[in-house]
Amino acid sequence: MSGVIGVLTAGGDCPGLNAVIRAVVGRATEHHDAEVVGVQNGWEGLMNGRTRPLDRDDVRGILSRGGTILGTSRMDPYVHGDGYESVRRTIERNGIESLIVIGGDGTLRTALKLSEEGLSVVGVPKTIDNDIAATDYTFGFDTALSIATEAVDRIATTAESHNRIMLVEVMGRTKGWIATYAAIAGGADGLLIPEVAYDLDDIAAVLKRRHRQGRTYSVVVVAEGVAPPAGMPVDHPIDAFGFERLGGVAYQIAPELESRTGFETRVTVLGHLQRGGTPTAFDRVLGTRFGAAAVDLALAGHSQVMVAVQSDKMVSVPLTDACQSIRGVDEDLYGLAATFFN
Ligand code: F6P
């Protein structure tokens, strides 16, 4: 054997997680003759010693399955324990020499802190939100985008029959990648994302002009993370782990647009539909590339790094680069979507 690698999935799940796990196990066992220990339920399993060995047979048939065979949680050793001390026993008992951490920005920040305390860590960028810095894409985004685009297409035909305005709310906690790409791919007539301040009077004027010019419906894509209309409360329940539970801002926006335009306005919130089900081919391939690259880095002795895709090449970036900001949609891309709001 040439080493023991741990692997865990933490934070919200994401299509393609199983592709990454499969690639980690396949690359480690078949290519490097190394051993893999799967940590169950994210950081919670690492704190409580819940692990299991993973071999090639354990990961057969999972490539096309959504979710994660390891389970995940939003527990954090720095919030629910005392940092490295709360995971040290599991690391030592399993002889884990390097930990592959598959997660979004919060998980990667925790991984960075642990690596600063001495744990050898390689990160893999995971989120449907596509907002992790230093990588062109995260896996899961493409799957969520294809679901959101199909929803826009479907909503458009029913909107057309009723001369309605339809708001399609998609995920995107702080950034509007899914919303912007779905708006471009679905030919939406309006787009609200956290990166760009919106004015309901301006949007209503554009929509009214559309309908005056003979269009019989309008679809507006709304990212869940946009602020509610001026004067309305931000009212997000807090979950068991202290995270704001987003979703539903479109219900605050819809009556405002209806009263300004005079057109009946309806809302569809896609929610977790975007995270469930089988990953697209793109996400399976990206997840496989990420998983294999992470193993190569871990077994070559690298730590405090994250695998990333830049200009279609697998690269390794410092974990600090990935954690220092959240990547948003730039003005050009928003402008491209807005070209067609007429
Ligand atoms: O961060 C990814 C994400 O999908 C966000 O877009 C969304 O707000 C959040 O996860 C939902 O998480 P949960 O599964 O805890 O509801």
Side-chain angles (χ1 to χ4, degrees):
M1 286 289 167
S2 70
V4 180
I5 288 178
V7 59
L8 66 78
T9 56
D13 78 335
C14 175
L17 280 167
N18 286 327
V20 183
I21 296 166
R22 171 180 175 272
V24 166
V25 174
R27 185 71 163 193
T29 58
E30 303 301 309
H31 191 81
H32 293 284
D33 196 26
E35 231 173 280
V36 180
V37 174
V39 179
Q40 288 170 315
N41 219 21
W43 298 119
E44 184 273 322
L46 201 63
M47 292 165 72
N48 296 321
R50 299 209 291 128
T51 61
R52 64 171 160 131
L54 291 177
D55 64 24
R56 181 74 185 88
D57 283 339
D58 293 314
V59 295
R60 289 192 199 281
I62 67 169
L63 183 58
S64 60
R65 269 174 54 195
T68 160
I69 60 160
L70 290 173
T72 184
S73 74
R74 292 210 188 265
M75 263 179 97
D76 183 325
Y78 289 93
V79 178
H80 308 99
D82 52 355
Y84 193 17
E85 283 317 308
S86 39
V87 304
R88 188 189 293 279
R89 207 148 51 108
T90 308
I91 297 288
E92 288 176 354
R93 193 191 296 139
N94 288 280
I96 294 173
E97 292 154 51
S98 180
L99 184 67
I100 294 179
V101 176
I102 311 169
D105 59 306
T107 301
L108 293 173
R109 275 197 300 276
T110 300
L112 175 60
K113 285 196 233 167
L114 288 169
S115 71
E116 286 164 350
E117 291 201 62
L119 182 64
S120 194
V121 159
V122 176
V124 176
K126 166 238 70 170
T127 169
I128 65 164
D129 290 356
N130 199 39
D131 57 2
I132 295 179
T135 185
D136 293 347
Y137 292 101
T138 56
F139 71 89
F141 170 62
D142 187 66
T143 305
L145 170 63
S146 69
I147 293 163
T149 303
E150 186 186 346
V152 171
D153 290 348
R154 286 177 180 273
I155 292 289
T157 66
T158 167
E160 192 172 19
S161 316
H162 295 272
N163 202 8
R164 282 175 175 157
I165 294 171
M166 299 293 237
L167 305 188
V168 180
E169 184 182 304
V170 301
M171 280 186 170
R173 182 162 278 266
T174 56
K175 303 295 174 192
W177 286 103
I178 300 174
T180 304
Y181 269 61
I184 294 171
D189 310 300
L191 169 65
L192 275 63
I193 59 174
E195 292 91 325
V196 180
Y198 66 89
D199 181 320
L200 284 173
D201 292 326
D202 290 349
I203 297 170
V206 169
L207 298 180
K208 276 201 309 202
R209 194 174 62 231
R210 251 179 75 75
H211 288 241
R212 263 203 315 272
Q213 289 173 342
R215 313 283 101 74
T216 54
Y217 70 97
S218 294
V219 178
V220 178
V221 181
V222 179
E224 64 177 359
V226 298
M232 286 195 192
V234 179
D235 193 15
H236 298 140
I238 304 295
D239 72 14
F241 299 101
F243 285 87
E244 282 190 322
R245 195 175 294 164
L246 271 58
V249 68
Y251 287 108
Q252 291 175 293
I253 295 168
E256 298 296 314
L257 274 184
E258 186 167 282
S259 66
R260 282 169 172 79
T261 60
F263 291 107
E264 193 185 355
T265 303
R266 297 290 181 93
V267 172
T268 301
V269 178
L270 298 187
H272 291 83
L273 264 184
Q274 296 158 100
R275 290 223 313 242
T278 186
T280 59
F282 181 89
D283 280 335
R284 296 181 205 185
V285 173
L286 184 59
T288 301
R289 292 176 80 192
F290 276 160
V295 167
D296 293 349
L297 285 169
L299 290 173
H302 294 273
S303 179
Q304 221 171 90
V305 292
M306 181 187 83
V307 291
V309 61
Q310 293 178 353
S311 304
D312 202 36
K313 296 268 178 303
M314 279 296 118
V315 296
S316 144
V317 297
L319 207 40
T320 44
D321 286 6
C323 293
Q324 71 191 4
S325 61
I326 299 187
R327 197 173 63 97
V329 173
D330 65 28
E331 277 176 25
D332 285 351
L333 199 60
Y334 180 85
L336 180 62
T339 308
F340 300 94
F341 299 166
N342 51 44

